[in-house]
Amino acid sequence: MEELSALSGTSSPEDSSLFGTLGTGAVALLTISAAAPLGATVAVGPVAVIFGNGAGLPGAFLLTGLFLFCFAVGYSALAAEIPGNGAFYRYITVVFGHRVGMGTACVSLASYLMMTAALATLTGYFVDLSAQSFGIHIGAQAWIIMSMIAVAAFGIRNIDVAAKVVVPLIICEFGALSILIIAIVAHKGINSFPVEAVSPSTVFSPGFGISVMFALSAFVGVESAALYSAEAKNPKTAIPRATIIAVGLVGLFYFITFWAFIGDIGIDHVAAIAQKGLTDVNIQQSLFLDSFGKNLGPIAEKIISLMIATSSFAAFLSLHNAATRYVFTLGDARILPRRFGVASAKAGSPATASIAVSVFVAVVTLALIISRVDYVTAFAPTIALGTTGIIVLQGIVAFATVFYFRRRKDPRIFTTFILPLIGFIGICSAFFLTLSNYDVLSGSSSTIINSMPLVFILIFAYGCITGRGRSEKNAS
């Protein structure tokens, strides 16, 4: 296909190839780490309970997980059908052409870069909080700089090295959540899973849209498995399987954890706690951690605070890797300077692209440090903007999946039409809910900040115009 050949640029395989030995499990856990399940649970859960549908939060996460699982099935089929680097960019280019693909690439890169910069500041903030609980006081700024240096060091090396760091951290995160669930069940018994929390009247109560919005933000990153296709041992099977495993595993843990969390609070007490939390920031920040302390003791609570820091670091590293692979792919396709698409001959890693991402993140975060902007205040609108961009791309790819397979009259009606169509409808619905409640996600009442998603229209248009120029140049 012409689109496929256009994606590869004009370089020889020797000077642009990545290599790695990632299996399905490693790819899945690397993908999951971008969502930071423990960090997202502790950070998103309390806020969603307070501002969302309260006791109906487990149901909101269940529905969101089901929609994304439907998306993942179709997305995996598309990844198997169109192998190679580039993920969103590659698939959209093959289905809708180079100009639309270029617009998608620009939105993808901008979204991942914003989320990477946001996680850099948040990692330093959480590491500082954890360090202070152990009597170490050197300030968040120092931890931000050290975390950036560590991620930069991992980024230039082979992906197998990063996997050896990230995979154990993610396994520990799931272990911590599992232990909490077991402890809650030990204390509460069957009351740990109140039926009322998943009943339609509770799930679809006021604030449902806000909960879905937060739920979708907690899943962001689980679509990034395809970015590791060149570094997987058997990408044609590993990438589709890893995507489905990542979405399914994260969705299952979110649902069960939040269901037990609501049971631990007590279904009758959720409304009162949510009301207090509207004006009490301490409740918003510590509600989930309190559950660890209550069920497992103060030492466990301190350990979890440390694990939240490691969870943020794993997410930072994973998002850095995702952004790096977009830079590498666009460099290889001559959309960005060619040197960004050249792999390290020794490490088989996108070292130059990784350095470029590290420089970008360093400039952004150091600017925040110099301007003395509050890290938490800066994090919310930045991650909100990046999340919105990824949601838009998920919707486009879901539609592309339906369009691609229907155009080819694929006989797998259930996996290539019905499920991706359900995923598309669900993601579009969640996107409109996100726009309607964007001020809650961004944590700001500023008209300028809450109008920032419009910038993606300009980024997409720039990409399409640039892509048109590239297409005409290639044609001539």
Side-chain angles (χ1 to χ4, degrees):
M1 296 192 310
E2 294 180 1
E3 295 91 342
L4 281 172
S5 60
L7 289 174
S8 62
T10 58
S11 58
S12 62
E14 289 78 14
D15 66 1
S16 64
S17 59
L18 303 175
F19 61 81
T21 59
L22 299 176
T24 299
V27 174
L29 292 175
L30 277 170
T31 303
I32 289 170
S33 66
L38 179 60
T41 299
V42 173
V44 171
V47 179
V49 167
I50 293 167
F51 294 96
N53 62 342
L57 182 65
F61 266 85
L62 176 62
L63 290 175
T64 304
L66 289 174
F67 278 125
L68 285 176
F69 188 79
C70 291
F71 160 76
V73 172
Y75 180 61
S76 298
L78 194 65
E81 189 78 10
I82 309 173
N85 298 334
F88 286 155
Y89 160 61
R90 187 177 188 87
Y91 307 143
I92 296 301
T93 298
V94 170
V95 178
F96 296 127
H98 191 73
R99 279 184 288 176
V100 179
M102 181 60 177
T104 301
C106 290
V107 173
S108 299
L109 181 56
S111 299
Y112 277 110
L113 285 174
M114 282 184 280
M115 291 194 296
T116 304
L119 260 297
T121 59
L122 193 71
T123 298
Y125 174 79
F126 276 132
V127 173
D128 183 50
L129 286 181
S130 180
Q132 287 183 36
S133 68
F134 290 94
I136 302 173
H137 302 274
I138 63 174
Q141 297 177 358
W143 290 114
I144 290 173
I145 294 171
M146 284 190 285
S147 65
M148 287 193 298
I149 293 172
V151 166
F154 283 118
I156 63 175
R157 303 186 69 182
N158 186 273
I159 191 62
D160 293 338
V161 177
K164 291 176 182 178
V165 175
V166 170
V167 168
L169 292 178
I170 297 303
I171 292 174
C172 288
E173 288 186 44
F174 283 127
L177 293 175
S178 299
I179 291 171
L180 175 63
I181 294 169
I182 292 170
I184 292 174
V185 172
H187 287 121
K188 294 276 188 173
I190 193 65
N191 293 326
S192 303
F193 304 106
V195 176
E196 296 91 335
V198 291
S199 66
S201 60
T202 307
V203 173
F204 296 104
S205 61
F208 170 73
I210 292 176
S211 289
V212 169
M213 175 188 68
F214 278 113
L216 201 60
S217 71
F219 277 93
V220 165
V222 293
E223 76 294 322
S224 61
L227 292 170
Y228 301 105
S229 59
E231 295 152 292
K233 285 187 291 188
N234 188 1
K236 191 168 184 179
T237 57
I239 300 306
R241 289 175 182 174
T243 300
I244 293 175
I245 290 171
V247 175
L249 192 58
V250 170
L252 180 64
F253 262 87
Y254 279 151
F255 171 57
I256 296 177
T257 301
F258 285 124
W259 197 2
F261 175 58
I262 293 299
D264 187 45
I265 295 175
I267 198 81
D268 297 328
H269 299 135
V270 173
I273 291 176
Q275 187 62 37
K276 290 180 182 179
L278 290 173
T279 55
D280 191 336
V281 177
N282 290 327
I283 292 178
Q284 297 176 22
Q285 294 179 344
S286 65
L287 186 58
F288 207 97
L289 274 176
D290 290 344
S291 185
F292 276 98
K294 181 174 67 174
N295 289 282
L296 296 169
I299 295 179
E301 187 175 352
K302 185 171 288 191
I303 292 173
I304 293 302
S305 69
L306 177 61
M307 291 184 65
I308 293 171
T310 61
S311 175
S312 298
F313 177 79
F316 178 21
L317 178 56
S318 293
L319 289 170
H320 172 95
N321 285 335
T324 293
R325 278 145 187 80
Y326 265 111
V327 173
F328 176 84
T329 299
L330 298 184
D332 189 34
R334 303 295 181 92
I335 295 167
L336 291 178
R338 176 69 187 90
R339 60 182 174 273
F340 292 140
V342 177
S344 166
K346 181 179 180 180
S349 66
T352 306
S354 178
I355 292 171
V357 173
S358 294
V359 170
F360 173 84
V361 172
V363 169
V364 173
T365 52
L366 290 177
L368 291 175
I369 291 173
I370 293 171
S371 61
R372 299 183 182 276
V373 174
D374 179 72
Y375 308 126
V376 177
T377 301
F379 169 80
T382 307
I383 203 71
L385 189 58
T387 297
T388 303
I390 296 300
I391 293 171
V392 170
L393 294 170
Q394 288 175 342
I396 294 174
V397 172
F399 178 73
T401 301
V402 175
F403 183 81
Y404 179 85
F405 286 111
R406 286 309 91 212
R407 187 171 59 184
R408 283 157 178 73
K409 298 181 180 179
D410 191 281
R412 298 168 295 175
I413 298 297
F414 190 67
T415 58
T416 63
F417 177 63
I418 295 176
L419 290 183
L421 182 61
I422 293 173
F424 172 70
I425 294 171
I427 292 171
C428 286
S429 301
F431 171 69
F432 287 113
L433 290 173
T434 298
L435 290 184
S436 301
N437 301 284
Y438 191 79
D439 58 326
V440 181
L441 185 63
S442 69
S444 174
S445 58
S446 169
T447 302
I448 295 176
I449 289 177
N450 293 324
S451 299
M452 286 302 291
L454 295 174
V455 76
F456 285 122
I457 297 176
L458 299 177
I459 293 173
F460 182 79
Y462 169 80
C464 289
I465 293 171
T466 305
R468 180 180 181 182
R470 296 280 180 179
S471 296
E472 292 174 350
K473 184 177 179 180
N474 291 336
S476 61

